[in-house]
Amino acid sequence: MALQIYNTLSRSKETFEPLKPGQVSMYVCGPTVYASAHIGHAMSTLVFDIVRRYLQYRGYEVAHAMNYTDVDDKIIQRANHEGRDPHELAESYIKEYDQHLKELNILPATVFPRATEEIPAIIDMVARLMDDDYAYEAGGDVYYRVEKKDDYGRLSGRKLEDMQAGARIGVDERKEHPMDFAVWKAAKEGEPSWDSPWGPGRPGWHIECSAMVLNHLGQQIDIHGGGNDLIFPHHENEIAQTESLTHKPFARFWMHNGMMQLSGEKMSKSLGNLITIKEFLADHDADVLRMMVLGGSYRGPLTFGDEAVEAASRGLERLRGGLRPALPGASGVDDVDLEAAAADARTGFENAMDDDFNSSAALAALFELVRQINQSRDAGASDEQLRPAQTVLLELAGVLGLRLEKIAATDADPEPFAALYTEMAAKLEGDAPQVDQGDAASLIEGLLAMRQMFRAQKQWDISDQIRDQLAELGVIVEDSAGGSSWHWA
RNA sequence: GGCGACGUGGCCAAGUGGUAAGGCAAGGGUCUGCAAAACCCUCAUCACGGGUUCGAAUCCCGUCGUCGCCUCCA
């Protein structure tokens, strides 16, 4: 089956075919950096990270641009309010966002253009729009003339007449048409500005994205993405101004993610009902947020809440559980066919993702694979028998950007384990097992061996104590008929 | 007021014409010194009312409700 992608332009799923075989150009609208980003921003970037990873899994080479809007009204306002320099303020939030992208395991975009670095290109575009009568100057501002583009409103499904009917009062009288939008804004006293043929000013919001696409990806791109709150006016205006210059269809596919909801409303900076990425990551694994996004459809709203977080977290643990090794002492069984299960999972996964990135159904395929792995493990399958399925599980989860493997024991600080080891060894009547005091894994193994001795003597209180204390150190101990095993919490 | 999306079990959520994936939670069971995990079993007829059809959660009409956009917004 070929990849189908829902295109906002046609309001339907279409077969995806890139302009150039094997290569995909994708532009995703990034944040305006005037405040700490919240998990709604994270949702958007996660959605397109998943899209990108799957395209790459499908063999495409992906050129991916994500912008930072680092000059606009909000930034200037905030900087003035805090007595900071607007550039410095923007820079600090870019740094923070950059860090979040790493923590969230987002593949870095090929390029991260910034509005302030595209000024010459923007000025050039504005001049050319004016040359062709698509834009006009008014008091230092330059406006795009919407009536000049006959298919204006194509993306958002709006008609100029309808919008005029609902237009608010207070329309700038210098505009020829109420819906005309600024491609260049005259600077007020003390605002950051750049010289232009129309006097000092800065770019309008929409023009920067057009400039970046043209500059970094070309006149036509395969995918343009962003939140669905950007459909109008932002993306509509991008299309208008870009196509007025290139006279070619701008983006083949317009993809829009749904909004993160908190207490029944869209999470947004202006409403103030938000949870920042920093706050979320302080309490949860980054992959928990990814699981929440994967659990639903990217186009619909995602309701954030304690219960949803908990469910995502437990689901993640379940996936991770599939990677656990064979039971201690398992010698293998005859009738295990996990290769077939792995192949089925892959097929199910691909069919789901090919259908407009149906990640929820793709996850279901992984859960099914986990169940089969667990069944086989319980039946006594050996590591060798489990491995093919676990390899596929790890690979496919990786395509979704999930990191199923926990920290390696070699990275853990051995000291607390050494202390516990010494404490417990003192209670032991016989000799304590040999361990490498500098290696957490070795110490844990030694502690488990000791615990086995206590258990053999039915000293349940001490063996429970070892289990409890290990749990506090982040090590979960699980007993089975053949012995005990452990894994990181 | 205009445009658009949506309403599936306790919660989240797939599924767009052939008799409801999956996750979480809950109950029962197996295993177990206990615990945890795992495994097995149980748990919905799809907001409501009409219509089309041999057959609809899935198509059409209406009603109610929720949300988004129309101003900065991922």
Side-chain angles (χ1 to χ4, degrees), chain A residues 283-325:
Chain A
D283 297 333
H284 311 284
D285 191 318
D287 280 355
V288 169
L289 190 58
R290 194 179 279 266
M291 277 297 281
M292 291 181 74
V293 171
L294 290 167
S297 112
Y298 76 89
R299 286 194 275 134
L302 173 59
T303 307
F304 188 87
D306 292 342
E307 242 184 305
V309 172
E310 180 63 18
S313 176
R314 299 296 295 268
L316 182 61
E317 284 311 311
R318 184 164 172 76
L319 289 182
R320 286 179 172 153
L323 292 182
R324 281 178 300 183

Side-chain angles (χ1 to χ4, degrees), chain A residues 36-46 104 257 259-262 267 273-281 284 289 292-293 302-305 309:
Chain A
S36 287
H38 56 72
I39 52 178
H41 298 107
M43 174 187 179
S44 184
T45 194
L46 282 165
L104 292 168
N257 63 274
M259 294 293 105
M260 177 84 80
Q261 308 279 130
L262 186 64
M267 184 178 292
N273 61 333
L274 51 80
I275 293 168
T276 63
I277 297 174
K278 198 191 299 175
E279 287 165 347
F280 183 87
L281 292 178
H284 311 284
L289 190 58
M292 291 181 74
V293 171
L302 173 59
T303 307
F304 188 87
V309 172

Side-chain angles (χ1 to χ4, degrees), chain A residues 51-67:
Chain A
V51 167
R52 171 166 168 195
R53 286 173 187 270
Y54 189 66
L55 288 170
Q56 291 184 169
Y57 170 77
R58 275 305 199 190
Y60 293 108
E61 191 180 309
V62 181
H64 171 201
M66 195 208 85
N67 74 301

Side-chain angles (χ1 to χ4, degrees), chain A residues 412-423 440 443 447 469-470 473:
Chain A
D413 178 9
E415 254 181 60
F417 295 103
L420 183 61
Y421 182 87
T422 309
E423 181 190 341
L443 285 159
L447 278 159
Q469 300 214 14
L470 280 173
L473 294 173

Side-chain angles (χ1 to χ4, degrees), chain A residues 20 43 45 70 96 101 131 181 201 217 301-302 307 309 375 435:
Chain A
K20 292 182 198 160
M43 174 187 179
T45 194
D70 61 348
E96 184 185 73
L101 293 181
D131 287 346
F181 58 90
L217 297 175
L302 173 59
E307 242 184 305
V309 172
Q375 273 176 341
V435 294

Side-chain angles (χ1 to χ4, degrees), chain A residues 26-49:
Chain A
M26 174 164 97
Y27 181 91
V28 181
C29 286
T32 301
V33 283
Y34 72 93
S36 287
H38 56 72
I39 52 178
H41 298 107
M43 174 187 179
S44 184
T45 194
L46 282 165
V47 163
F48 289 101
D49 182 61

